Amino acid sequence: VVMSETRHSVDMPVSGDLRALIAARKDAVVDLDRSGIVREWNAAAEKLLAWPASEVIGNRVPAKVLGRELDLTALLAGLDAGVPLPVRQLRCRRRDGRFVDVEFSAAATRDNAGNVRGLMALLVDVTERKRLERRLQYQAQHDARTGRPNRELLSSRLVAALAEARPHDGRTGLLLSELDKFKEVND
């Protein structure tokens, strides 16, 4: 595991015990200063995001990695105001271009005076869980035999269409069609 000995802000040095804990985590740990410069990037981050620590530490985290969903400036402004960071789902882009779904949680890192100097984030790979959720949702909303949308999907789309129409004139339409002898074919 490559850990940076060069610091890019007024941060306190990471103790050997904390460094060992970061290195031992099976989940990705990323430490960023206020300008997005990576201070720590453990082996799990290398594996998850396919960016070697040697290319990331001391540089700004590549914008495409954390996606548009994560606005570091807004997160830090919230931390300055005392707003806790919520756990959120992100879709990160690996160096090879593939996407990985992660659960992102972070906490402020502070200097001796208590000022926010950056944040330390934990990224947990939830790609398989999200894939399974999408599969289960598809199965719940589509006929197993034909793959066609079922009543559950119709109902949810109808509710959404009615909610979308409500602020306007409240009108929407529904077209029903029936196929003769479809039940016989289906049976």
Side-chain angles (χ1 to χ4, degrees), residues 114-157:
N115 300 313
V116 176
R117 64 178 179 83
L119 61 87
M120 186 167 289
L122 181 68
L123 290 87
V124 178
D125 186 354
V126 294
T127 304
E128 187 58 28
R129 183 181 83 198
K130 297 297 276 182
R131 187 190 67 74
L132 182 59
E133 286 173 2
R134 286 189 293 270
R135 189 170 135 220
L136 290 173
Q137 183 176 11
Y138 181 88
Q139 288 174 345
Q141 296 180 336
H142 292 79
D143 180 78
R145 185 174 300 129
T146 65
R148 304 294 301 161
N150 64 14
R151 285 190 178 122
E152 169 69 27
L153 184 57
L154 171 66
S155 177
S156 68
R157 296 243 175 111

Side-chain angles (χ1 to χ4, degrees), residues 12-145:
M12 300 175 300
V14 175
S15 73
D17 291 340
L18 180 55
R19 190 174 299 276
L21 179 64
I22 291 170
R25 288 288 312 181
K26 294 199 182 326
D27 299 315
V29 177
V30 177
D31 184 19
L32 305 173
D33 73 6
R34 290 194 70 87
S35 61
I37 301 290
V38 178
R39 292 185 295 227
E40 304 291 344
W41 186 272
N42 70 351
E46 287 184 331
K47 182 177 179 184
L48 178 67
L49 300 170
W51 284 86
S54 60
E55 291 183 24
V56 178
I57 292 177
N59 297 307
R60 288 184 57 82
V61 66
K64 64 183 177 182
V65 170
L66 298 178
R68 294 184 199 128
E69 305 159 32
L70 190 67
D71 181 353
L72 182 61
T73 305
L75 286 179
L76 290 167
L79 288 171
D80 286 336
V83 177
L85 293 175
V87 174
R88 60 182 67 194
Q89 303 282 319
L90 295 178
R91 192 157 176 108
C92 297
R93 185 184 298 262
R94 293 169 40 93
R95 185 176 189 177
D96 59 14
R98 291 186 300 144
F99 287 98
V100 59
D101 293 306
V102 300
E103 186 174 85
F104 174 90
S105 57
T109 52
R110 299 181 183 276
D111 62 19
N112 286 332
N115 300 313
V116 176
R117 64 178 179 83
L119 61 87
M120 186 167 289
L122 181 68
L123 290 87
V124 178
D125 186 354
V126 294
T127 304
E128 187 58 28
R129 183 181 83 198
K130 297 297 276 182
R131 187 190 67 74
L132 182 59
E133 286 173 2
R134 286 189 293 270
R135 189 170 135 220
L136 290 173
Q137 183 176 11
Y138 181 88
Q139 288 174 345
Q141 296 180 336
H142 292 79
D143 180 78
R145 185 174 300 129

